[in-house]
Amino acid sequence: MYFAALLARTEDGWEASDTELDDVETLSDLADLAREASPDEDTVLVLIEQEDSWFGVVRIDGEEDPRIFVSDASAAARSSYGEILLTDELLGRDPADADDLDALDLDGTEDGDDESDDADEDDGDGVASAGPAEAVPHGPVGDAGILDDLGVGEKELKSLSSDALTEIAESLGASEVLETVR
C-alpha cells in the first residue's frame, strides 16, 4: 500500500493534496507534477511511503533540480515508485557505465537458454539474487539535509521509520493538512 502527497508552501502556510503517481514514469514527470502544485515557484515536497518499508521526500524549489532523500534504497528499489526516485546520480552510478553493461551479455546464458530459472537462485548466503538491485545500497540515500531549513535535521530524518511522513509533517507544522488527504 502506497501513500503519496504533495505539500506546497504558500504565504498562508502549507497546502496538501494527495496525488496519483500512476502516470508518473520519471523523476522529471514527478518534478513537473510538483511544480504544477505551486504556480508561484514556492517549495513543494513530494512525500511517498510504502507502509513501513520505506519513505521518500522529493523537494522542488522553483526551477531548481529536485533534491531527493530515500530512507531505504534497497526496499525502494523493489517498488515502481521507488525506482522513479533512485536515479543513477542518487546512487552514485555513471549512466554511461550502465549503458555499456546493458550491451554486454553477462548473465552466462547461451542464446536460446531460458534465464528465468536462474533469476531467483540463492547465491549461498540465504538471499535470492536480485539482479540489478544488488548494486543498490541498504539504508538511506540522497540529500539527508533536504529539510534542514524547514526544521527537520539530517540526524532526525535518518532516524525516522514507521509513520515518518506524519512526523515530518508535524515538524513542518503541516500535520493537519496532511491528514486531510490521507
Side-chain angles (χ1 to χ4, degrees):
M1 177 71 110
Y2 291 94
F3 173 72
L6 298 174
L7 280 180
R9 186 166 60 176
T10 67
E11 300 176 348
D12 301 324
W14 292 96
E15 292 180 7
S17 58
D18 67 349
T19 187
E20 281 295 320
L21 298 179
D22 294 341
D23 295 330
V24 174
E25 295 179 8
T26 66
L27 181 59
S28 180
D29 293 344
L30 187 61
D32 290 344
L33 182 69
R35 287 184 182 105
E36 289 172 12
S38 179
D40 296 330
E41 296 190 7
D42 292 319
T43 297
V44 178
L45 302 176
V46 181
L47 305 174
I48 302 171
E49 71 180 352
Q50 180 186 5
E51 295 172 346
D52 290 335
S53 180
W54 66 275
F55 71 91
V57 178
V58 179
R59 180 176 178 159
I60 309 293
D61 292 303
E63 291 300 316
E64 292 181 25
D65 288 340
R67 295 169 58 193
I68 305 165
F69 175 81
V70 176
S71 66
D72 186 339
S74 63
R78 294 185 296 269
S79 132
S80 58
Y81 297 134
E83 288 178 348
I84 293 169
L85 305 181
L86 297 175
T87 63
D88 288 331
E89 182 181 344
L90 187 70
L91 296 173
R93 295 180 188 156
D94 181 359
D97 290 345
D99 292 341
D100 291 343
L101 290 176
D102 288 342
L104 298 175
D105 179 18
L106 299 176
D107 65 2
T109 61
E110 299 284 331
D111 288 339
D113 284 353
D114 183 10
E115 355 178 340
S116 63
D117 295 339
D118 301 330
D120 291 326
E121 275 188 22
D122 182 60
D123 60 8
D125 64 1
V127 178
S129 297
E134 290 177 23
V136 176
H138 293 278
V141 295
D143 183 355
I146 192 171
L147 301 174
D148 280 348
D149 64 324
L150 299 175
V152 182
E154 182 175 331
K155 185 176 179 181
E156 182 181 357
L157 188 62
K158 286 182 175 181
S159 69
L160 296 175
S161 56
S162 65
D163 214 19
L165 300 189
T166 299
E167 292 182 43
I168 290 170
E170 285 175 5
S171 295
L172 300 175
S175 58
E176 288 181 23
V177 294
L178 182 64
E179 286 305 313
T180 63
V181 298
R182 266 201 194 259

